[in-house]
Amino acid sequence: MRHLLEINDLARDEVSEVLRRAADPALSKPLQGRGVALVFEKPSARTRNSMEMAVHQLGGHGVYIQGHEVGFDVRETVEDVTRTLACYYDLLAARVFRHDVVERMSALNTRPVVNLLSDRAHPMQALADLLTLRAEFGELAGRTIAYIGDANNVTRSLALAAHAMGMRVRVGHPAGYGFDAVDMAVLDQAGVDVEFVDDPVAAAAGADAVYADVWTSMGQEEESAKRLVDFAGWTIDTALMARASDDAVFLHCLPAHEGEECTREVLEAPNSRVWLQAENRMHAARGLLHWLVTDAK
Ligand code: CP
Ligand code: NVA
């Protein structure tokens, strides 16, 4: 049984197949009469709605479940919740605070488990990012993606995904906001040779895509004031984007905190692809779910 806890749970050719299905306007509806559990311990605009619509487009029924309703390890164990949901649903998807929750869910091998964002990874976002980059550039090998900001869950999945497509990965962050040892071990294991820089201008220089995410992720709210101070000078604005390559695009997983990690001007600029990225969440989800329930081995 296959699960998607991190983007490198898929081989490179499997990622390509998922992206092919994402762009296929005539996919079959393998979820007819079947359900998908969508458990969220954190809020969501894109992930919940793109998943619900993708499930619907594949003929299935997605059920949104708030984390507190099932209460992982509070009301009952992660394992007991998982075994119960597996009685009703063909796929289990969850957005969780701790990555080990989706690991424990998948370890039971009751149903395929899809990580809808954990503190470590956001693979569904990475699939949409690749779809967006492919539409823009076609072949991605040799292109440079520059992530500027807090090295977080989105950054890790993006780095793994971009590397799998042969891209060069650059991460610019202020001191103290790089990957921790756990993430570095995952990246090293996957052979991702991240170029780290400690200056936003050097990070953007000549990049084909500049990528932003919030400085304070969900679950880190108590660090927000400190982060605002530590990230001063790291806002991606029009002047910084001008350091990137002439045909560079701006990407952001959203939600954006305007005036913090990027300006409104950058979000709305002609070279911004953030709304296409948001739309691609649904197409990528449809491609992934279709592959998972039909051909994943
Ligand atoms: N990018 C993303 O996952 O957005 P949501 O948190 O709104 O789902
Ligand atoms: N890094 C952010 C991504 C939100 C989609 C977070 O985890 O909150």
Side-chain angles (χ1 to χ4, degrees):
M1 182 174 301
R2 299 294 297 276
H3 307 281
L4 183 72
L5 305 192
E6 177 53 292
I7 191 67
N8 62 347
D9 288 338
L10 302 180
R12 189 198 158 114
D13 62 323
E14 292 173 335
V15 171
S16 294
E17 178 57 18
V18 166
L19 299 181
R20 190 195 65 72
R21 291 180 196 218
D24 184 344
L27 280 184
S28 62
K29 297 186 186 302
L31 287 176
Q32 206 90 49
R34 302 163 81 179
V36 178
L38 304 167
V39 185
F40 283 81
E41 292 191 318
K42 306 178 188 181
S44 168
R46 282 143 290 271
T47 306
R48 177 203 174 164
N49 290 287
S50 61
M51 287 294 292
E52 283 203 23
M53 285 309 299
V55 171
H56 174 74
Q57 289 164 356
L58 295 173
H61 180 57
V63 175
Y64 172 70
I65 303 161
Q66 292 188 40
H68 68 83
E69 295 178 85
V70 289
F72 287 131
D73 283 343
V74 175
R75 192 163 182 268
E76 56 191 316
T77 65
V78 169
E79 286 73 15
D80 287 358
V81 174
T82 303
R83 288 192 195 97
T84 302
L85 294 178
C87 299
Y88 320 125
Y89 299 105
D90 284 67
L91 281 162
L92 308 179
R95 167 169 284 197
V96 297
F97 282 100
R98 295 188 331 270
H99 191 73
D100 68 282
V101 170
V102 282
E103 288 177 338
R104 286 165 62 194
M105 291 175 75
S106 64
L108 294 172
N109 273 322
T110 54
R111 300 287 183 191
V113 172
V114 176
N115 177 10
L116 299 180
L117 181 147
S118 68
D119 56 345
R120 292 282 169 200
H122 198 0
M124 297 303 288
Q125 181 67 51
L127 284 173
D129 297 340
L130 289 183
L131 203 53
T132 309
L133 287 163
R134 279 263 190 93
E136 190 66 34
F137 297 119
E139 175 59 49
L140 297 180
R143 296 274 182 178
T144 297
I145 186 147
Y147 176 94
I148 300 180
D150 179 39
N152 60 21
N153 44 7
V154 167
T155 326
R156 184 175 111 171
S157 295
L158 178 73
L160 289 164
H163 170 77
M165 294 296 126
M167 296 183 79
R168 284 195 282 265
V169 181
R170 193 183 293 152
V171 175
H173 65 82
Y177 292 96
F179 291 116
D180 68 9
V182 172
D183 289 340
M184 280 309 300
V186 169
L187 291 163
D188 286 346
Q189 172 87 29
V192 187
D193 185 16
V194 179
E195 179 195 355
F196 292 101
V197 292
D198 60 4
D199 166 57
V201 172
D208 296 294
V210 174
Y211 198 116
D213 185 14
V214 292
W215 291 338
T216 301
S217 285
M218 292 180 278
Q220 300 175 329
E221 288 78 6
E222 73 285 357
E223 299 173 23
S224 172
K226 175 173 167 37
R227 285 169 176 262
L228 278 177
V229 173
D230 293 346
F231 280 92
W234 283 82
T235 303
I236 301 170
D237 58 14
T238 303
L240 188 61
M241 281 303 296
R243 303 295 188 127
S245 100
D246 289 344
D247 65 346
V249 292
F250 175 70
L251 302 174
H252 193 314
C253 57
L254 304 178
H257 290 179
E258 180 181 340
E260 294 185 17
E261 73 275 3
C262 66
T263 61
R264 172 57 53 183
E265 199 179 12
V266 164
L267 281 167
E268 304 291 354
N271 66 346
S272 168
R273 297 291 176 271
V274 301
W275 311 116
L276 179 61
Q277 260 180 296
E279 176 183 335
N280 281 338
R281 291 295 308 274
M282 179 174 70
H283 304 312
R286 195 175 57 247
L288 185 272
L289 295 177
H290 190 279
W291 176 79
L292 262 185
V293 295
T294 57
D295 294 319
K297 294 193 174 62

